[in-house]
Amino acid sequence: MKGVAMPAVPTFEAETAEISGHLFENPSVGVPRGIYWSCTIGFAPISASPEGEERDEGWPCTLLCDWITWPVRSWQEIHGLSLESCVGPLAVEASLYFFGQHQSLSRLELSFQRSQADRFRVRGSFLADLEDLDGKTLRAVTSALDIEGRFVGLSVLPDNLFPKPKSEAEAIEALGQFADLQSYERPQWEDLVWMFRPRRSDSVG
């Protein structure tokens, strides 16, 4: 979509944040079985309308941060952690879905503070060179964020594991090696995965 100008400095307003995790392994490339965490932050749609013109509906904009590896067994222990708390074996991967394409970030900082129940305060900032709809590169775009998000749960996708867990009991056994399941509800089969939702009765300790 060439020829579409946009404001010189886009504004990023965080609206939603979700923290999740999934049980994964890939021995063929050296990825051991473990819980790998993710954080997804949704921003208000980004307008491509030039300044002074009527604002369009805007384009979806989402920050994706995957392959976070924290040395925790309980989701409550995410409190006080940041991306700098990662221990490997994989490097964190982060991108910004901006004007219809995933664009790499030069720097991303995120920290997490539990507020109540399954809610966390997510604070941070990012730095990136971003390409607009006209192919122009916006250099060193930076934005801070401060948003309340929630932990949505852990998932077990049988196809990600070998041997594949074939029942609820086997999914519980597989995840229980890496997580304290007392902080989760009984798993539910949702969209081809076993989903372990947090117990909402838990309070800040």
Side-chain angles (χ1 to χ4, degrees):
M1 298 182 63
K2 301 297 183 180
V4 180
M6 60 169 286
V9 181
T11 300
F12 297 90
E13 181 182 352
E15 293 186 329
T16 62
E18 289 188 345
I19 305 163
S20 62
H22 68 287
L23 189 63
F24 181 83
E25 67 178 342
N26 191 340
S28 64
V29 294
V31 180
R33 180 177 294 196
I35 296 174
Y36 297 89
W37 305 88
S38 300
C39 181
T40 302
I41 298 172
F43 295 93
I46 303 295
S47 174
S49 299
E51 295 182 6
E53 294 189 8
E54 184 178 354
R55 182 181 175 87
D56 58 22
E57 295 182 357
W59 290 67
C61 184
T62 306
L63 190 155
L64 305 172
C65 184
D66 299 313
W67 305 110
I68 303 170
T69 50
W70 285 316
V72 300
R73 289 187 57 85
S74 170
W75 61 270
Q76 293 100 326
E77 295 174 351
I78 294 174
H79 173 71
L81 297 183
S82 69
L83 295 185
E84 294 182 352
S85 307
C86 294
V87 295
L90 301 180
V92 172
E93 294 183 3
S95 65
L96 187 72
Y97 188 70
F98 181 75
F99 283 116
Q101 59 180 321
H102 291 280
Q103 306 200 36
S104 299
L105 302 180
S106 303
R107 186 187 72 233
L108 175 63
E109 298 176 352
L110 292 177
S111 63
F112 304 83
Q113 296 289 327
R114 190 178 176 200
S115 53
Q116 59 179 343
D118 57 358
R119 301 285 172 170
F120 285 81
R121 199 75 196 176
V122 183
R123 296 183 175 92
S125 64
F126 68 82
L127 173 69
D129 293 338
L130 301 175
E131 183 177 309
D132 68 10
L133 288 172
D134 202 32
K136 175 185 176 182
T137 299
L138 307 173
R139 299 291 183 184
V141 176
T142 185
S143 179
L145 61 95
D146 186 341
I147 182 72
E148 183 175 79
R150 67 189 184 100
F151 173 66
V152 298
L154 290 176
S155 62
V156 176
L157 174 62
D159 286 345
N160 280 345
L161 306 175
F162 183 82
K164 300 178 182 179
K166 299 178 180 180
S167 65
E168 175 185 326
E170 290 183 0
I172 291 174
E173 180 180 3
L175 187 59
Q177 299 177 41
F178 302 93
D180 175 11
L181 298 185
Q182 293 183 353
S183 60
Y184 295 90
E185 303 286 355
R186 181 175 177 177
Q188 302 295 317
W189 182 247
E190 304 176 9
D191 299 324
L192 302 180
V193 304
W194 289 106
M195 192 68 197
F196 292 72
R197 302 285 183 185
R199 293 181 58 181
R200 293 181 178 268
S201 59
D202 291 339
S203 59
V204 177

